[in-house]
Amino acid sequence: MPSTCAIVVHPSAEALALAAAERLASLVAETERPPFFLALSGGATPQRLYEILAGDRFRERVAWARLEIFFADERAVPPDHLDSNFAMVARALLAHVPVKAHRMPAESGDAEAYARLVGTRVVARRDGVPVLDLVLLGIGTDGHTASLFPGTPALDETRNWVVMNEVPSLGARRMSFTYPLINASRRVWILATGGAKREIVMQCLRAPAAGEPGGAALRQRWPVVGVRPHEGELVWWLDEAAAG
């Protein structure tokens, strides 16, 4: 089955987060062979989704025992650091619900160990690559997603599922999923809210795929355009400000 792409627009960031929580709860309940393997990202837009999932409306409704959580990327900092994606997710969600989660220890630099963990836990395979049920991503105003930044080495990775990516523009090193793992997933959601994201969202939605003329060059410029699940679905979740 070829991949599909959908664009879902909601009136506000709050409405978007609520609708995404509803859909996620349904997907977890519907999965035929738990656990449901979910990869999370950092950022303000996903954070509101996590807070809603941990709130009264969903805390008892979501089948948390059917979920197993990974992280799509992480900064090379301890788990209690203010910049840590894990710390944000722990405050917003993990501290409030009984769910199994695997922190991405980017400060260790051992990307291979995290890839082995994913490979061991996620037994479903597509061409030898683990198939996650859902990867939740954001998008930066520069077109980056996860920790796949413009012009960085990870954009050319075709073999490793998780890498330490050097990001000179930030003077930083981050651990990140790569395209082979992201694009093997059953579903990928890209969440974008706010007027600051409008221009990059418009440009990326108009961009050709990596295999089409000009697509590979644009992937280097706006890494999010390289997110194209081989099979399954890609959904852009936007509020009206980001959708324009």
Side-chain angles (χ1 to χ4, degrees), residues 8-27:
V8 181
V9 181
H10 291 275
S12 65
E14 185 71 10
L16 182 156
L18 183 59
E22 290 277 3
R23 180 60 179 146
L24 178 57
S26 297
L27 287 173

Side-chain angles (χ1 to χ4, degrees), residues 18-39:
L18 183 59
E22 290 277 3
R23 180 60 179 146
L24 178 57
S26 297
L27 287 173
V28 174
E30 294 165 5
T31 188
E32 296 178 357
R33 41 111 209 94
F36 182 95
F37 295 108
L38 169 66

Side-chain angles (χ1 to χ4, degrees), residues 20-166:
E22 290 277 3
R23 180 60 179 146
L24 178 57
S26 297
L27 287 173
V28 174
E30 294 165 5
T31 188
E32 296 178 357
R33 41 111 209 94
F36 182 95
F37 295 108
L38 169 66
L40 302 181
S41 295
T45 303
Q47 179 175 345
R48 184 56 188 142
L49 168 59
Y50 306 151
E51 291 168 348
I52 288 174
L53 287 168
D56 293 341
R57 182 166 179 172
F58 289 95
R59 190 185 306 117
E60 302 300 326
R61 178 179 162 192
V62 175
W64 298 107
R66 298 170 65 88
L67 260 171
E68 190 163 338
I69 291 175
F70 298 90
F71 283 77
D73 76 309
E74 183 57 280
R75 297 169 172 87
V77 295
D80 57 351
H81 195 281
L82 287 176
D83 293 334
S84 166
N85 287 341
F86 176 82
M88 182 275 284
V89 177
R91 290 191 303 269
L93 177 65
L94 302 180
H96 310 286
V97 297
V99 65
K100 185 171 188 174
H102 303 282
R103 185 178 80 87
M104 181 178 265
E107 75 277 17
S108 74
D110 195 349
E112 290 184 5
Y114 202 76
R116 286 195 300 271
L117 172 65
V118 176
T120 299
R121 297 296 308 163
V122 185
V123 295
R125 289 289 193 274
R126 180 172 292 125
D127 297 330
V129 183
V131 177
L132 293 156
D133 292 292
L134 173 61
V135 177
L136 196 155
L137 300 172
I139 177 176
T141 54
D142 60 354
H144 87 266
T145 194
S147 282
L148 302 175
F149 284 83
T152 56
L155 304 184
D156 296 318
E157 183 60 57
T158 60
R159 183 175 60 87
N160 294 304
W161 308 331
V162 184
V163 298
M164 292 302 298
N165 195 25
E166 300 288 345

